[in-house]
Amino acid sequence: MNSNASHVKYHSFILMGIPGMPDKNPWMAFPLGFLYILTLLGNAAILAVIKVDHNLREPMYYFLSILAVTDVSLSMSTLPSMLSIFWFNTSEISFDACIAQMFFIHGFGVAESGVLVSMAFDRFVAIREPLHYASILTHSIIGKIGIAVLTRAVCVVFPVPFLIKRLPFCRSNVLSHSYCLHQDAMRLACASTRINSLYGLIIVIFTLGLDALIILFSYVLILKTVLGIASRDEGLKALNTCLSHICAVLLFYVPLIGITMTHRFGKHLSPVVHMLMANIYLLLPPVLNPIVYSVKTKQIRRRIIHVFQRRKNRI
């Protein structure tokens, strides 16, 4: 019987809700629904404010628009499987649907990292060359940067579906998250995954790892420039324009490092911890980025307050 079971080839995966407590899944439905609604409303508000207010037609806000679109796309990549598990109590996902979700999640993750690098470059130019800021980061250059970020993400993640599709799955088909990740599906294969592991490591080092180093180097140069500014108040004012971006970087990379460390060294931890870390990694940045930029960016905060005041006066 065991011998026959070992030769079964699965054509679908079972996604995990709350580990060991499937009857508690409905309790997560409303909090998750609230987070998705907050993500949509927050990022839509950022996009609407930037579109309506002509004073926000600056490179910084164009990059913020790209970040908002990327956040919404990343969040929506997990929505179908989250809804099926926590709202409709359906945990099975077809092999092809899992691969498609995997592609979009990893793709938009790499894209978001690229957008954060672009925003670091934007802050560097704004502080290092304030008089030539608008002439350096023209609409054409910003468009090309956006296309380059998207193209890199697609090219980097494009081999992943083919690498995972060639593997046979006969040990188990139960994933450890509520959505499909390459590293999660790969561990269930009953064949050598050396190529998959190597390619995954290359992606992490030469995209996310390299991006983090570039951002760090950018801020070293920014800090050097700020320290060279004669007026202390002007230096602090220039540095203050970077706070929102620094928060966005931390919101992206800290959970990423957390889930990586959990996968690597936290095998003894409760599956619930793994589930929470995985959901925080993908759901927290899209929810909090609009809040951070609304609170830390004076122009956006004023515009949003102005809109609410106008509606209040009408009522």
Side-chain angles (χ1 to χ4, degrees), residues 42-81:
N43 287 286
I46 293 289
L47 291 170
V49 165
I50 292 172
K51 183 179 180 180
V52 170
D53 195 336
H54 293 280
N55 294 322
L56 302 181
R57 302 292 172 85
E58 297 179 11
M60 171 185 172
Y61 300 107
Y62 287 120
F63 284 118
L64 178 55
S65 298
I66 298 172
L67 179 66
V69 171
T70 307
D71 274 339
V72 170
S73 302
L74 180 60
S75 184
M76 291 302 101
S77 298
T78 64
L79 182 61
S81 59

Side-chain angles (χ1 to χ4, degrees), residues 44 56 61 92 131 149 157 169 175 237 252 254 258 264 275 293 297 304 308:
L56 302 181
Y61 300 107
E92 187 173 3
L131 298 178
V149 167
V157 182
F169 294 89
L175 298 174
K237 186 178 178 181
F252 180 78
V254 170
R264 184 77 177 175
M275 184 270 291
Y293 274 93
T297 308
I304 292 174
F308 277 108

Side-chain angles (χ1 to χ4, degrees), residues 15-288:
L15 297 169
M16 182 69 70
I18 301 177
M21 296 181 286
D23 56 310
K24 302 294 183 183
N25 284 344
W27 288 96
M28 287 291 291
F30 289 101
L32 286 172
F34 176 72
L35 288 177
Y36 279 112
I37 291 171
L38 204 59
T39 297
L40 288 173
L41 292 178
N43 287 286
I46 293 289
L47 291 170
V49 165
I50 292 172
K51 183 179 180 180
V52 170
D53 195 336
H54 293 280
N55 294 322
L56 302 181
R57 302 292 172 85
E58 297 179 11
M60 171 185 172
Y61 300 107
Y62 287 120
F63 284 118
L64 178 55
S65 298
I66 298 172
L67 179 66
V69 171
T70 307
D71 274 339
V72 170
S73 302
L74 180 60
S75 184
M76 291 302 101
S77 298
T78 64
L79 182 61
S81 59
M82 291 284 199
L83 281 178
S84 66
I85 293 171
F86 296 107
W87 281 88
F88 304 111
N89 202 29
T90 304
S91 57
E92 187 173 3
I93 183 171
S94 69
F95 190 65
D96 290 335
C98 187
I99 289 177
Q101 186 184 52
M102 192 184 298
F103 175 82
F104 285 113
I105 289 175
H106 290 297
F108 286 119
V110 172
E112 177 145 352
S113 180
V115 173
L116 291 173
V117 172
S118 304
M119 296 176 83
F121 176 67
D122 165 75
R123 292 297 82 208
F124 170 71
V125 174
I127 293 173
R128 191 70 176 260
E129 301 289 343
L131 298 178
H132 304 288
Y133 176 53
S135 62
I136 293 174
L137 289 173
T138 61
H139 289 180
S140 174
I141 294 297
I142 293 170
K144 288 176 181 176
I145 290 174
I147 292 170
V149 167
L150 182 60
T151 302
R152 184 190 74 155
V154 172
C155 291
V156 164
V157 182
F158 185 74
V160 169
F162 299 98
L163 289 174
I164 204 75
K165 198 156 188 172
R166 69 185 180 86
L167 296 174
F169 294 89
C170 53
R171 291 175 183 166
S172 173
N173 66 336
V174 181
L175 298 174
S176 56
H177 300 309
S178 307
Y179 47 81
C180 297
L181 293 178
H182 174 247
Q183 62 268 32
D184 195 19
M186 180 183 68
R187 68 180 180 82
L188 300 178
C190 49
S192 174
T193 58
R194 184 174 297 177
I195 295 175
N196 296 66
S197 298
L198 182 61
Y199 189 72
L201 182 62
I202 290 171
I203 288 178
V204 170
I205 292 174
F206 288 101
T207 56
L208 303 179
L210 184 61
D211 287 353
L213 287 176
I214 293 172
I215 292 171
L216 181 62
F217 181 66
S218 297
Y219 273 101
V220 169
L221 295 178
I222 287 171
L223 190 59
K224 183 180 177 182
T225 303
V226 169
L227 292 174
I229 296 174
S231 170
R232 183 172 178 271
D233 290 338
E234 287 296 319
L236 290 173
K237 186 178 178 181
L239 200 59
N240 190 53
T241 64
C242 300
L243 287 178
S244 299
H245 178 252
I246 292 171
C247 290
V249 169
L250 292 175
L251 283 172
F252 180 78
Y253 282 101
V254 170
L256 176 63
I257 293 169
I259 191 173
T260 302
M261 298 296 286
T262 303
H263 271 289
R264 184 77 177 175
F265 304 108
K267 294 179 181 178
H268 63 286
L269 295 174
S270 167
V272 176
V273 175
H274 288 265
M275 184 270 291
L276 288 174
M277 287 299 299
N279 289 336
I280 286 171
Y281 162 59
L282 287 184
L283 295 179
L284 200 64
V287 171
L288 293 184

